[in-house]
């Protein structure tokens, strides 16, 4: 009888260039996404060693991390940012790599642009010098973040030495309750696993609830895999995947499409294949989540209260909670709904796609945000922005008092001028609530787009299910 | 990459769990396109706290950092490793590390060693009480030793990483020896896989 395999093992085996006992496997990389922040030193090293880029035709670059989201037609006031963007332009030109540059309508957050053109496809290996590369796993590809030395390695050889991961099944049963989104599902998963529960592992998300999600919602789940410490997270391709890809400009067309679907359909985990680890969550019980601390695992349902050191058993747990409460300026036992916010950010590779903007806009239609709140929407890409404007979403946001910006990573990591001021508190649809993540001294609460929109209106967190 | 055989010196007790790379190297310093000079920016915000361990002159120049679980989680930014390298850290001992960070360290030549929580806690308290305590790490025998005592532990390391670090080998140079295997793989690789050639044209269709 054939050996039963998981989708993770199947993709891995299909990409082994060389395998030798006592050494990592050498894996072939199907797609290398490049951006301005983690690549300059890699290109410089290629120059110093006189090495070309082996496969510019399997490489795509954009600028997203530090680009301004307004006033792009004006000179960029930040000379370092300007230099980094110009360096990306120069490197792309010199090494023959396509670049979706700042004035290209296709420019956007690197993990949004590849899927929306159909470039991210099932069964591929995809890397990028960015930890949220796991987003692409939503299509049933093995996609993971790498550092700059590895960026250089892939540019030079189109391969990466990698130690095989442990496999993990994260099954979510049931269905989404009203008001609950895939962002709440992944926050619940991370809360359950802890920020290091996935170290050394690749996750396959499975189960009824996962299968019921749209492609964009699946991307939100896979996107935050790294926040549970896992190397990658993926979802087996199915009809939802194929329907999303069909007709996109870089997806296979005609006969090639039929052949591709046949190949992709064979990727799913064999019945009876064993995972090294597995957990099951009852998805029907998941409520809208809000993070209260300084790691993405520190979240509670909106109906809950801020926990305190007394809720943790270990000395380290108590200390971590105490430090997080101090940084976040919260009291143990405080109701989540009583937390007032100053800023709202809707966007990022986690929640900057068209469905996210539609959901947020549906909450904001005909409403005004609180006078104490400053809010912004940063579409994830040029096409997302154009689509949203065609649907009139921009007017809904602007009429509600939101700023409508140009695409980029923006306040998710605050490399451009979009930052929190010290002490400011945000409701953010992004992926990290680390100390200072959105600006030194800023306090971040991670939520779904609808929860962020509702908080913008109320000036504090509210239960979206009661609106 | 320089070779590593042994590392000996004082240890810096960074006694916090889940230290993320945003803390090690805040975002504003990632705009630099240089590969060196990140030391002054390492733990930039935490260094503003007077009591932060890196502000304690007792630990100045220590080549070994003691850390807690899940060290280096979050962003893939290798700038975090470059910052640690630039302040003279040559090895980090912790109960666990985040994967990407650990990978980045191995590429740069910074040794990461996993020890049991109880061992880390012991070394941490020693370093806090007796900052001059000397720890010696020997890579070939895979041991960590507290000098002047009989405390010694062995550690696991990926044999390939060990080989590279001991010999200071360039990872890319090693892979390039397998040019034939890479070319063979490419010639048998499915032609149905996408490429980015069309990205040079403006293919965007709106609506």
């Amino acid at each position: 009888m054939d050996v039963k395999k998981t989708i993770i093992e199947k993709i891995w085996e299909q990409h082994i260039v060389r395998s030798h006992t006592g050494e990592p496997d050498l894996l072939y990389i199907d797609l290398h996404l490049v951006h301005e922040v983690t690549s300059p030193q890699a290109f410089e090293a290629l120059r110093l060693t006189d090495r070309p880029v082996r496969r510019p035709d399997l490489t795509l670059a954009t600028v997203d991390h530090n680009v301004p989201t307004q006033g792009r037609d004006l000179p960029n006031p930040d000379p370092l940012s300007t230099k980094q963007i110009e360096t990306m332009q120069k490197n792309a030109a010199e090494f023959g790599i396509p670049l979706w540059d700042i004035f290209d309508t296709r420019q956007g957050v690197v993990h949004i642009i590849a899927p929306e053109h159909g470039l991210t496809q099932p069964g591929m290996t995809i890397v990028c010098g960015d930890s949220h590369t796991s987003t692409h796993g939503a299509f049933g590809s093995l996609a993971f973040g790498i550092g700059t030395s590895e960026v250089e390695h892939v540019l030079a050889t189109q391969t990466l030495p990698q130690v095989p991961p442990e496999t993990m099944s994260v099954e979510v049963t049931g269905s989404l309750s009203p008001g609950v989104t895939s962002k709440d599902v992944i926050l619940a998963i991370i809360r359950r696993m802890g920020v290091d529960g996935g170290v050394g592992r690749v996750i396959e998300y499975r189960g009824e609830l996962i299968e019921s999600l749209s492609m964009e919602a699946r991307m939100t789940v896979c996107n935050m895999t790294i926040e549970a410490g896992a190397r990658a997270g993926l979802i087996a391709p199915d009809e939802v995947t194929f329907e999303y890809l069909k007709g996109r400009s870089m997806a296979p067309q005609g006969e090639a499409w039929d052949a591709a679907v046949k190949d992709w359909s064979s990727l799913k985990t064999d019945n009876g294949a064993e995972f090294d680890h597995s957990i099951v969550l009852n998805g029907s019980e998941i409520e809208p989540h809000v993070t209260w601390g300084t790691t993405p695992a520190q979240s509670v349902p909106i109906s809950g209260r801020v926990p305190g050191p007394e809720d943790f058993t270990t000395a380290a747990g108590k200390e971590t909670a105490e430090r997080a409460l101090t940084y976040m300026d919260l009291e143990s036992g405080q109701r989540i709904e009583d937390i007032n916010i100053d800023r709202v950010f809707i966007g990022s590779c986690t929640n900057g796609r068209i469905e996210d903007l539609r959901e947020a806009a549906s909450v904001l239609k005909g409403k005004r945000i609180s006078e104490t709140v400053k809010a912004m929407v940063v579409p994830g890409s040029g096409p997302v922005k154009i689509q949203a404007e065609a649907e009139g979403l921009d007017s809904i946001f602007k009429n509600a008092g939101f700023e409508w910006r140009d695409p980029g990573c923006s306040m998710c990591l605050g490399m451009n001028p979009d930052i929190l001021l010290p002490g400011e508190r945000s409701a953010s649809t992004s992926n990290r609530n680390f100390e200072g993540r959105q600006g030194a001294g800023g306090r971040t609460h991670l939520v779904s787009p609808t929860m962020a929109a509702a908080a913008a209106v109320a000036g504090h967190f509210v239960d979206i299910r009661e609106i | 990459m320089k070779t590593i055989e042994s590392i000996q010196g004082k240890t810096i007790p960074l006694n916090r769990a889940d230290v993320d790379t945003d803390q090690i190297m805040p975002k504003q310093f990632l705009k630099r396109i240089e590969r060196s000079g990140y030391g002054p920016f390492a733990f930039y915000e935490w260094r503003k706290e007077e009591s932060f361990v890196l502000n304690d002159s007792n630990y100045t120049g220590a080549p070994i950092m003691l850390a807690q679980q899940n060290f280096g989680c979050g962003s893939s930014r290798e700038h975090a490793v470059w910052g640690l390298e630039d302040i003279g850290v040559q090895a980090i001992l912790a109960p666990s590390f985040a994967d990407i960070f650990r990978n980045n360290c191995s590429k740069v030549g910074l040794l990461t060693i996993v020890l049991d929580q109880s061992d880390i806690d012991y070394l941490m308290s020693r370093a806090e009480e007796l900052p001059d305590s000397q720890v010696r790490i020997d890579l070939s025998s895979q041991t960590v030793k507290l000098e002047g005592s009989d405390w010694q532990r062995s550690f696991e390391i990926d044999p390939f990483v060990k080989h590279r670090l001991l010999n200071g080998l360039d990872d890319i140079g090693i892979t390039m020896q397998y040019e034939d295997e890479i070319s063979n793989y490419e010639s048998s690789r499915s032609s149905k896989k996408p490429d980015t050639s069309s990205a040079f044209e403006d293919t965007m269709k709106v609506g």
Side-chain angles (χ1 to χ4, degrees):
Chain A
M1 207 171 75
D2 288 348
V3 180
K4 309 290 188 195
K5 288 177 188 160
T6 65
I7 179 173
I8 300 159
E9 293 158 309
K10 290 184 192 181
I11 299 175
W12 190 276
E13 286 170 13
Q14 287 173 9
H15 290 85
I16 295 177
V17 170
R18 180 179 186 276
S19 187
H20 195 268
T21 312
E23 293 180 24
D25 289 341
L26 191 61
L27 287 193
Y28 200 78
I29 302 302
D30 289 323
L31 176 64
H32 186 191
L33 300 166
V34 174
H35 64 83
E36 77 278 21
V37 173
T38 55
S39 68
Q41 296 83 0
F43 284 111
E44 181 61 16
L46 290 186
R47 229 174 259 121
L48 292 172
T49 49
D50 202 20
R51 287 168 178 156
V53 171
R54 183 181 182 92
R55 295 298 299 266
D57 61 330
L58 301 182
T59 311
L60 175 65
T62 193
V63 287
D64 57 359
H65 278 61
N66 78 30
V67 294
T69 57
Q70 61 183 356
R72 285 191 180 168
D73 44 343
L74 305 170
N76 186 336
D78 180 348
L80 280 178
S81 161
T82 305
K83 181 150 193 204
Q84 200 164 48
I85 292 166
E86 286 171 358
T87 302
M88 185 72 258
Q89 294 163 343
K90 183 172 143 254
N91 287 331
E94 183 180 331
F95 289 93
I97 294 168
L99 167 68
W100 291 353
D101 205 356
I102 190 160
F103 291 113
D104 191 306
T105 44
R106 297 164 293 184
Q107 177 268 338
V109 182
V110 68
H111 307 309
I112 293 189
I113 62 174
E116 75 188 349
H117 293 275
L119 181 57
T120 296
Q121 297 172 19
M124 292 171 72
T125 47
I126 301 176
V127 297
C128 173
D130 187 280
S131 61
H132 293 108
T133 307
S134 55
T135 312
H136 306 268
F139 291 81
S141 63
L142 184 65
F144 50 95
I146 57 178
T148 299
S149 293
E150 292 177 307
V151 168
E152 182 192 346
H153 199 122
V154 178
L155 288 172
T157 69
Q158 203 58 33
T159 65
L160 261 190
Q162 289 281 305
V163 178
E166 294 174 18
T167 58
M168 180 171 190
S169 160
V170 173
E171 184 184 349
V172 189
T173 62
S175 57
L176 282 180
S177 306
V180 180
T181 70
S182 65
K183 178 64 164 287
D184 304 302
V185 172
I186 188 61
L187 285 173
I189 291 171
I190 297 163
R191 185 180 175 210
R192 164 87 173 266
M193 289 180 63
V195 280
D196 59 352
V199 169
R201 305 174 183 177
V202 173
I203 294 171
E204 182 187 353
Y205 298 101
R206 350 173 46 190
E208 202 182 340
L209 188 146
I210 299 294
E211 287 166 20
S212 75
L213 298 175
S214 71
M215 277 319 294
E216 296 198 357
R218 291 178 187 187
M219 283 189 251
T220 302
V221 171
C222 291
N223 171 271
M224 288 186 72
T225 301
I226 182 70
E227 312 311 338
R231 288 167 64 179
L234 52 74
I235 295 170
D238 60 11
E239 287 305 320
V240 176
T241 321
F242 307 150
E243 191 55 38
Y244 177 95
L245 281 170
K246 197 167 190 181
R248 293 194 184 249
S249 64
M250 295 171 94
Q253 317 284 339
E255 278 177 32
W257 170 259
D258 296 331
V261 168
K262 191 162 170 261
D263 283 355
W264 297 340
S265 302
S266 68
L267 288 168
K268 61 176 183 287
T269 293
D270 297 329
N271 282 332
E274 285 183 19
F275 289 85
D276 298 318
H277 310 270
S278 58
I279 58 168
V280 181
L281 277 82
N282 181 348
S284 304
E285 287 176 358
I286 296 173
E287 296 182 57
H289 272 59
V290 181
T291 62
W292 57 269
T294 53
T295 77
Q298 291 172 325
S299 69
V300 285
I302 176 68
S303 58
R305 291 170 184 271
V306 176
E310 64 279 7
D311 296 308
F312 296 85
T313 48
T314 64
K318 286 178 195 297
E319 206 178 305
T320 303
E322 207 152 336
R323 189 175 162 85
L325 289 183
T326 305
Y327 182 84
M328 294 297 289
D329 192 26
L330 294 173
E331 304 267 339
S332 161
Q334 199 173 343
R335 290 176 66 230
I336 296 292
E337 293 204 44
D338 290 342
I339 300 172
N340 293 325
I341 53 155
D342 309 300
R343 306 281 295 268
V344 170
F345 170 66
I346 295 178
S348 84
C349 57
T350 311
N351 283 128
R353 286 170 286 267
I354 190 68
E355 288 177 12
D356 300 314
L357 303 197
R358 284 180 191 141
E359 286 175 12
S362 72
V363 173
L364 293 167
K365 200 165 188 178
K367 298 208 174 85
R368 281 291 298 178
I369 62 171
S370 163
E371 279 178 12
T372 61
V373 170
K374 239 182 102 183
M376 65 197 293
V377 186
V378 181
S381 71
V384 170
K385 187 176 192 211
I386 291 165
Q387 179 66 28
E389 288 173 353
E391 296 177 19
L393 305 183
D394 58 323
S395 304
I396 295 174
F397 284 116
K398 286 188 272 195
N399 291 340
F402 271 77
E403 292 179 36
W404 180 249
R405 298 292 191 93
D406 290 322
C409 299
S410 179
M411 206 199 275
C412 173
L413 85 165
M415 272 195 77
N416 73 352
D418 308 338
I419 56 169
L420 294 181
L421 298 174
E424 277 190 327
R425 187 182 295 283
S426 76
S428 177
T429 67
S430 55
N431 42 54
R432 288 190 173 132
N433 51 341
F434 297 152
E435 288 181 26
R437 170 76 177 180
Q438 296 189 293
R443 300 175 177 127
T444 302
H445 297 270
L446 304 176
V447 287
S448 71
T450 47
M451 285 284 287
V457 173
H460 57 87
F461 291 108
V462 288
D463 192 336
I464 189 71
R465 296 168 298 182
E466 289 166 11
I467 290 174
Chain B
M1 201 163 77
K2 62 181 190 304
T3 59
I4 301 178
E5 285 171 17
S6 62
I7 298 161
Q8 180 171 339
K10 294 196 282 191
T11 57
I12 307 162
L14 181 56
N15 202 0
R16 287 181 195 177
D18 302 321
V19 172
D20 60 78
T21 53
D22 273 77
Q23 308 315 316
I24 304 174
M25 189 57 59
K27 81 294 249 63
Q28 63 268 37
F29 307 111
L30 312 186
K31 291 181 199 167
R32 302 177 72 240
I33 60 168
E34 293 81 14
R35 166 64 177 77
S36 58
Y38 290 88
F41 315 125
F43 296 102
Y44 188 78
E45 289 301 321
W46 286 1
R47 277 202 211 181
K48 291 177 183 169
E49 299 169 27
E50 209 182 323
S51 62
F52 184 58
V53 66
L54 285 178
N55 292 330
D56 187 337
S57 58
N58 281 319
Y59 304 107
T60 305
I64 301 168
M65 180 170 271
L66 299 171
Q68 289 293 2
Q69 65 180 40
N70 199 31
F71 188 76
C73 62
S75 162
S76 63
R77 57 188 72 168
E78 198 165 304
H79 311 67
V81 184
W82 301 338
L84 292 168
E85 182 190 35
D86 203 45
I87 59 170
V89 173
Q90 299 170 44
I92 309 170
L93 276 53
S96 64
F97 292 92
D99 284 322
I100 303 177
F101 176 82
R102 198 170 193 198
N103 246 336
N104 289 343
C105 285
S106 90
K107 307 293 175 184
V108 168
L110 209 154
L111 188 57
T112 52
I113 294 173
V114 171
L115 292 179
D116 285 348
Q117 181 71 55
S118 57
D119 292 330
I120 292 295
D121 289 343
Y122 175 68
L123 291 176
M124 199 74 82
S125 61
R126 279 289 292 222
E128 283 167 353
E129 286 156 23
L130 302 164
D132 288 328
S133 300
Q134 295 270 316
V135 166
R136 182 180 169 82
I137 300 165
D138 187 80
L139 181 55
S140 48
S141 67
Q142 297 180 214
T143 51
V144 180
K145 191 175 177 339
L146 187 61
E147 292 289 332
S149 79
D150 45 17
W151 190 96
Q152 182 172 315
R153 294 289 182 273
S154 56
F155 62 88
E156 300 289 320
I157 183 169
D158 180 284
F160 189 66
V161 171
K162 179 180 175 178
H163 170 69
R164 279 202 302 106
L165 295 179
L166 278 173
N167 297 290
L169 297 175
D170 163 21
D171 224 6
I172 299 176
I174 295 173
T175 296
M176 284 189 145
Q177 295 170 9
Y178 309 128
E179 169 59 33
D180 288 351
E181 283 97 328
I182 300 172
S183 296
N184 285 342
Y185 182 91
E186 282 179 329
S187 55
S188 64
R189 189 172 168 266
S190 169
S191 60
K192 295 196 288 282
K193 296 265 187 181
D195 70 53
T196 60
S197 311
S198 68
F200 283 109
E201 306 149 22
D202 193 349
T203 53
M204 204 188 93
K205 283 178 265 177
V206 178

